[in-house]
C-alpha cells in the first residue's frame, strides 16, 4: 500500500479543512428568501458532512495544462482573504499547488477564453470522490462573461463575492 492509498480527509488536514469550510460557507450563505435554495444549501451541507464523517479517501488529481486564467489566482486569493469567504480562501491557498484546474467546456465560448478556470473538489472526478455531490471552485478573470445556462436534472448554486 502506497502513501496515496492511505490519503484521507482526516490524514490530510488541509483537505479536511477545505471541506469543512465549504460546508460552513453553504450553511451561512443567503438563500435570498428561497426555500428551494435553502433546501439545496442544506442538502450540500449534509453531503459534505457525510464525506467528512466517512473520512473520505483522496485520489490524486490529474494535472493538465494550466489554464491562462490562473494568472489571476493570486489576486483573487489576496482579495478573498478580506471577504466573508475568507476561511475557504485560506484553505484554497494552502492547497493551491495540488488543485487540478481546467477549462471543461469544449469548445470554450469566446467570452471565457483565457478568462476562466475551474477545479472539482468533491465529485465523480474530484480528489474527494462522490457520486452524490459536486463541489468545486471557479475562477473568473477580469472580462470573463459566463453564458447563461440551465440544467434539467441537477440543482446548481454559486456562492461568490460580486466585488471580485
Amino acid at each position: 500500500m502506497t502513501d496515496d492509498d492511505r490519503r484521507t480527509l482526516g490524514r490530510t488536514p488541509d483537505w479536511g479543512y477545505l471541506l469543512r469550510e465549504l460546508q460552513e460557507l453553504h450553511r451561512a450563505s443567503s438563500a435570498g428568501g428561497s426555500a428551494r435554495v435553502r433546501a439545496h444549501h442544506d442538502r450540500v451541507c449534509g453531503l459534505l458532512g457525510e464525506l467528512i464523517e466517512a473520512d473520505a479517501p483522496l485520489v490524486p488529481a490529474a494535472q493538465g495544462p494550466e489554464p491562462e486564467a490562473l494568472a489571476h489566482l493570486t489576486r483573487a486569493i489576496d482579495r478573498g482573504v478580506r471577504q466573508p469567504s475568507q476561511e475557504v480562501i485560506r484553505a484554497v491557498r494552502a492547497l493551491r499547488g495540488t488543485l487540478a484546474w481546467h477549462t471543461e467546456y469544449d469548445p470554450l465560448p469566446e467570452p471565457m477564453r483565457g478568462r476562466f478556470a475551474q477545479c472539482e473538489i468533491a465529485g465523480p472526478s474530484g480528489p474527494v470522490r462522490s457520486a452524490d455531490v459536486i463541489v468545486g471552485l471557479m475562477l473568473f478573470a477580469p472580462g470573463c462573461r459566463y453564458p447563461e445556462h440551465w440544467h434539467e436534472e441537477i440543482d446548481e448554486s454559486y456562492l461568490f463575492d460580486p466585488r471580485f
Side-chain angles (χ1 to χ4, degrees):
M1 185 179 287
T2 68
D3 285 343
D4 283 343
D5 294 331
R6 293 187 294 270
R7 290 182 57 201
T8 66
L9 290 175
R11 292 186 186 120
T12 316
D14 286 338
W15 280 99
Y17 294 143
L18 178 57
L19 256 62
R20 285 181 183 85
E21 297 303 343
L22 288 167
Q23 182 186 36
E24 183 56 34
L25 185 62
H26 275 82
R27 182 178 290 117
S29 291
S30 169
S34 167
R36 183 175 179 189
V37 172
R38 174 53 48 213
H40 171 73
H41 287 191
D42 290 346
R43 197 167 44 256
V44 171
C45 282
L47 292 168
L48 288 172
E50 289 175 17
L51 291 169
I52 294 164
E53 182 68 28
D55 193 21
L58 291 170
V59 177
Q63 299 286 344
E66 186 172 285
E68 291 176 53
L70 284 190
H72 300 276
L73 184 59
T74 298
R75 173 81 169 152
I77 288 172
D78 288 347
R79 292 190 60 153
V81 295
R82 300 187 311 254
Q83 307 304 330
S85 58
Q86 63 184 296
E87 298 304 327
V88 170
I89 300 302
R90 285 188 179 109
V92 168
R93 182 173 50 197
L95 292 167
R96 182 178 182 169
T98 63
L99 299 174
W101 292 90
H102 57 90
T103 55
E104 191 167 290
Y105 297 95
D106 187 23
L108 194 62
E110 183 57 40
M112 296 174 70
R113 222 165 265 146
R115 299 179 186 100
F116 166 79
Q118 65 184 20
C119 75
E120 191 170 298
I121 302 296
S125 55
V128 181
R129 294 294 162 96
S130 175
D132 301 317
V133 66
I134 299 172
V135 176
L137 304 171
M138 298 178 92
L139 175 66
F140 298 104
C144 182
R145 191 177 55 104
Y146 194 62
E148 183 177 323
H149 68 284
W150 66 90
H151 302 279
E152 296 287 333
E153 298 181 18
I154 67 167
D155 289 330
E156 179 177 52
S157 60
Y158 297 88
L159 307 178
F160 67 97
D161 187 324
R163 294 173 284 184
F164 280 177

